[in-house]
Amino acid sequence: MKATITTLSGDGIGPEVMAEALRVLDRVSSRYGHEFVTHEALIGGVAIDRAGDPFPQETRRLGEQSDAILLAAVGGPQWDSPSARVRPEQGLLAMRKHFGLFANLRPVKVYPMLAQNVPLRPDLLEGVDILIIRELTGGLYFGPRQEMGDGDTAYDTMLYTRSEVERVAHVAFRAAQGRRKKVTSVDKANVLASMRLWRSTVNRVHEDYPDVVLDHVLVDACTMHLIMRPSSFDVLLAENMFGDILSDEASVLAGSLGMLPSASLGEGRFGLYEPVHGSAPDIAGRGKANPTGMILSLAMLLRYSLNLDAEAKAIEQAVEGVLADGARTGDIARQGETVVSTREFTDAVIAKL
Ligand code: IPM
Ligand code: MG
């Protein structure tokens, strides 16, 4: 097949993990006979520096002409001043909104060979396989906000409409139908009006999916259940900011934040794919980054936007094989284990493809 992908390397470790994903993509294209055309564009801090805008017009245009966008990471201390006029993160949020990518899928898988890295009892990790579905274009991230001129007051608003909750709830129930048929919806309905709307809407959508079991859990309790009984979750559906927080917490189960991929989807096949981790400026440019989240994001791109399930599976199995062989980047190495570089880890993945 022929496909066009916009690549956004962004900041920090972004360029180095993106370079590895592109080598994997190259291997997939020669191995399976596909033609992938990639165009690199600017996003985040590097886009502020070079184009004065964290989500430049040219990036928008290239994205619109692509089948999918692959993004590495944005942000860094040089753009972090509280008085900054624009921030790298605004580019990412604007892009999610622009493309209507309201459903963010973040699979959390436990690799048995990394269980030793997890600060939880190994028996708690058995059978852990969670799909977090984070609402991505509404809620606390996008409601009305203001920093008052007096510098003493500021507010953000958690605002949802019924239809915003409905569409992401449908994604969660449909995903559960292909899995263990359970949705846990996270809210704070005991305090927040928007979260009471969330809960009643999820209940209504659930009527269309009688084969799926639904339960509701308050977000504070959810943080606890995630570490006390992680294997009880199948699909975890959450508001934008709650999903942001819970996915970092859940990443601990996978051994490292560097392991997690994500897919951001809207109504069609187009999607934005990015690792859950950030730009890690402290290790940028040193070949230390774990490319797994990035490489697995590429696998999700092939599966969801290009319908190449066999190719996606091959990448996932290659990563798993490499981990089973003992390859470890610094974030997933235990004391005394040999650490491989970003590139060496990817070489091993490519060798298995
Ligand atoms: C994420 C990140 C982003 C978010 C930041 C970089 C704006 O934390 O994708 O989880 O908060 O959505
Ligand atoms: Mg986050």
Side-chain angles (χ1 to χ4, degrees):
M1 80 165 317
K2 243 185 111 159
T4 308
I5 301 170
T6 297
T7 62
L8 308 173
S9 294
D11 309 316
I13 58 169
E16 54 201 288
V17 291
M18 178 63 81
E20 302 309 326
L22 291 179
R23 290 204 298 133
V24 173
L25 183 66
D26 244 16
R27 174 70 181 153
V28 169
S29 81
S30 57
R31 170 88 168 63
Y32 293 86
H34 300 305
E35 194 189 325
F36 300 119
V37 180
T38 61
H39 299 290
E40 173 72 18
L42 297 171
I43 191 78
V46 68
I48 294 176
D49 290 352
R50 294 202 206 146
D53 179 349
F55 179 41
Q57 191 68 46
E58 172 69 359
T59 301
R60 187 168 321 185
R61 194 185 62 79
L62 279 172
E64 284 164 359
Q65 292 166 0
S66 307
D67 297 292
I69 298 176
L70 188 63
L71 174 128
V74 300
Q78 62 270 57
W79 303 286
D80 254 359
S81 152
S83 60
R85 192 182 49 84
V86 280
R87 332 176 145 270
E89 291 78 6
Q90 286 170 341
L92 181 54
L93 299 193
M95 182 164 62
R96 290 168 175 170
K97 192 75 170 176
H98 177 76
F99 289 107
L101 306 169
F102 59 84
N104 183 216
L105 278 53
R106 298 183 159 188
V108 180
K109 212 173 114 82
V110 166
Y111 295 91
M113 48 281 194
L114 297 183
Q116 297 285 345
N117 290 53
V118 181
L120 289 184
R121 280 202 331 261
D123 61 291
L124 292 175
L125 296 175
E126 249 162 65
V128 171
D129 180 1
I130 305 172
L131 178 62
I132 296 178
I133 298 191
R134 168 187 177 194
E135 201 291 325
L136 203 60
T137 52
L140 195 54
Y141 272 46
F142 286 94
R145 73 193 49 218
Q146 201 176 335
E147 279 144 311
M148 309 299 198
D150 62 4
D152 282 343
T153 314
Y155 64 82
D156 299 277
T157 316
M158 190 181 283
L159 183 148
Y160 271 112
T161 63
R162 191 174 281 281
S163 68
E164 282 176 315
V165 182
E166 273 167 2
R167 60 188 185 177
V168 75
H170 280 291
V171 173
F173 286 113
R174 282 199 298 267
Q177 284 181 320
R179 297 170 48 98
R180 301 196 308 282
K181 300 196 166 50
K182 182 176 171 190
V183 170
T184 303
S185 173
V186 181
D187 62 40
K188 190 70 187 176
N190 55 345
V191 176
L192 303 174
S194 56
M195 292 289 94
R196 285 191 285 278
L197 177 78
W198 177 279
R199 188 178 287 209
S200 65
T201 305
V202 172
N203 275 330
R204 216 169 68 176
V205 174
H206 180 219
E207 290 168 14
D208 296 349
Y209 303 87
D211 55 330
V212 177
V213 174
L214 167 68
D215 62 8
H216 302 280
V217 57
L218 297 172
V219 64
D220 46 352
C222 188
T223 61
M224 193 171 62
H225 296 162
L226 260 178
I227 49 173
M228 293 190 56
R229 46 176 184 81
S231 64
S232 68
F233 293 100
D234 179 15
V235 173
L236 194 63
L237 171 64
E239 186 272 342
N240 201 341
M241 169 117 157
F242 293 169
D244 178 49
I245 296 170
L246 293 173
S247 57
D248 273 35
E249 187 192 12
S251 79
V252 173
L253 304 167
S256 163
L257 189 54
M259 298 295 295
L260 297 196
S262 86
S264 304
L265 306 171
E267 298 291 355
R269 287 206 84 89
F270 177 85
L272 162 68
Y273 301 83
E274 51 171 317
V276 175
H277 66 69
S279 60
D282 53 320
I283 58 162
R286 292 157 67 190
K288 289 186 166 191
N290 184 346
T292 304
M294 184 80 235
I295 292 171
L296 293 178
S297 297
L298 172 64
M300 292 186 90
L301 183 157
L302 297 177
R303 172 174 295 126
Y304 292 110
S305 282
L306 306 184
N307 210 11
L308 299 174
D309 198 55
E311 288 81 342
K313 277 209 182 84
I315 294 177
E316 288 159 356
Q317 276 162 13
V319 167
E320 207 160 332
V322 164
L323 292 169
D325 291 348
R328 300 283 183 268
T329 45
D331 58 322
I332 53 172
R334 276 179 298 142
Q335 190 114 63
E337 277 184 323
T338 308
V339 170
V340 301
S341 69
T342 310
R343 173 164 266 267
E344 287 165 336
F345 188 94
T346 313
D347 285 340
V349 172
I350 291 172
K352 285 201 187 285
L353 276 167

